[in-house]
Amino acid sequence: MSISNAMVLAAGLGTRLRPITNTMPKPLVEIAGKPMIDYVLDLLVEAGVSKAVVNVHHFADQMEGHLSRRSAPEILISDERDALMNSGGGLAKGLKLLPEGPALVMNADLFWVGEPKGEPSNLTRLAAAFDAERMDMLLLCVRDEDTTGHNGKRDFSLGDDGSLTRYTEGLPNPVVYAGAIALHSRLFADAPHEAFNLNIYFDRAAEKGRLYGLLLDGHWMTVGTPEAIGEAEAAIRRHRPEG
């Protein structure tokens, strides 16, 4: 299946990127001349997404101004100026602006480069592999050796059947959550209206055997500190030399 609707989580404060984020929102910080959120939105468009909700809080006016200049995808704003909703609360609020159905979810500051040419993209594969009958969420995951800027923490153990369980020392096939999800919006129909962490839903799905993972092709990066910007730009040059 293809998925045409998406939610981008972009309302965080980016405190570890200070002093840069003292004057601008983290998703607008440029990596190799391109704002982080544009890497994310371009990946979504490439996968067939035509409408995306973006939540805003920190320097929300700057975010809205930047997003208004994009021609694709169609952007809907989920306004969190009054109250930051955390990852779960922000997602639950934003999904209400989309038609009920499958959706892709991405973090505005996590992206990747170096997807194999001529092959379906990571998000295209994620959308195609999502099965709402047996999955609550399908997470894009990455091996630690295919990351730049990550702190080494392993999030899940990926089973042979694609199922995910929380990683503890000694479990096989450790992976890192890569910040992209395929889900059906009805999963959050009864979600709290206040702020909460998305990890609650990860754990709940895992306990029910309904949390699955798909391995990323390419090189994934996270930019948490000013020093990490140079590391990310070097990784982009290595994995996308034509850029």
Side-chain angles (χ1 to χ4, degrees):
M1 69 184 299
S2 62
I3 296 178
S4 59
N5 295 316
M7 168 88 197
V8 179
L9 299 170
L13 298 175
T15 53
R16 291 196 303 131
L17 256 182
R18 291 174 178 162
I20 299 172
T21 49
N22 286 338
T23 56
M24 67 188 305
K26 182 179 180 180
L28 294 190
V29 174
E30 291 191 357
I31 309 297
K34 181 175 177 176
M36 282 190 269
I37 195 168
D38 285 335
Y39 284 97
V40 170
L41 290 169
D42 289 348
L43 288 167
L44 288 167
V45 169
E46 183 186 2
V49 167
S50 57
K51 182 180 295 185
V53 173
V54 180
N55 62 346
V56 297
H57 173 80
H58 189 52
F59 291 107
D61 291 348
Q62 288 187 39
M63 287 290 294
E64 288 189 296
H66 178 81
L67 295 170
S68 70
R69 295 189 285 274
R70 285 191 64 101
S71 58
E74 177 189 351
I75 302 288
L76 304 175
I77 298 295
S78 181
D79 194 332
E80 295 184 20
R81 283 176 173 86
D82 293 337
L84 196 58
M85 300 293 289
N86 206 328
S87 54
L91 176 56
K93 179 178 179 179
L95 287 174
K96 291 180 171 63
L97 301 178
L98 294 170
E100 182 179 289
L104 293 172
V105 180
M106 286 191 70
N107 287 1
D109 56 352
L110 304 175
F111 59 96
W112 54 87
V113 294
E115 292 178 319
K117 290 184 177 179
E119 300 292 331
S121 73
N122 288 305
L123 292 181
T124 298
R125 292 190 302 116
L126 192 72
F130 177 61
D131 178 1
E133 294 303 313
R134 62 189 185 93
M135 303 173 184
D136 281 350
M137 291 183 279
L138 177 63
L139 310 187
L140 190 64
C141 299
V142 61
R143 300 192 192 282
D144 186 50
E145 57 265 30
D146 295 324
T147 71
T148 290
H150 185 57
N151 60 10
K153 179 179 179 291
R154 282 79 176 272
D155 297 313
F156 298 100
S157 173
L158 180 63
D160 292 339
D161 62 351
S163 62
L164 291 175
T165 54
R166 282 290 183 184
Y167 180 74
T168 56
E169 192 65 36
L171 285 180
N173 207 9
V175 293
V176 177
Y177 166 53
I181 314 170
L183 52 77
H184 195 287
S185 60
R186 65 175 173 242
L187 180 65
F188 288 85
D190 299 323
H193 294 292
E194 64 271 8
F196 66 92
N197 195 294
L198 189 53
N199 275 299
I200 294 171
Y201 275 70
F202 289 169
D203 290 337
R204 189 178 298 171
E207 288 167 6
K208 295 188 294 184
R210 293 180 59 84
L211 186 68
Y212 283 79
L214 183 74
L215 273 178
L216 177 146
D217 286 333
H219 191 83
W220 178 85
M221 59 198 72
T222 177
V223 182
T225 64
E227 295 73 25
I229 293 175
E231 297 171 7
E233 291 178 336
I236 289 172
R237 288 193 295 270
R238 287 197 306 272
H239 293 276
R240 198 178 58 188
E242 72 278 9

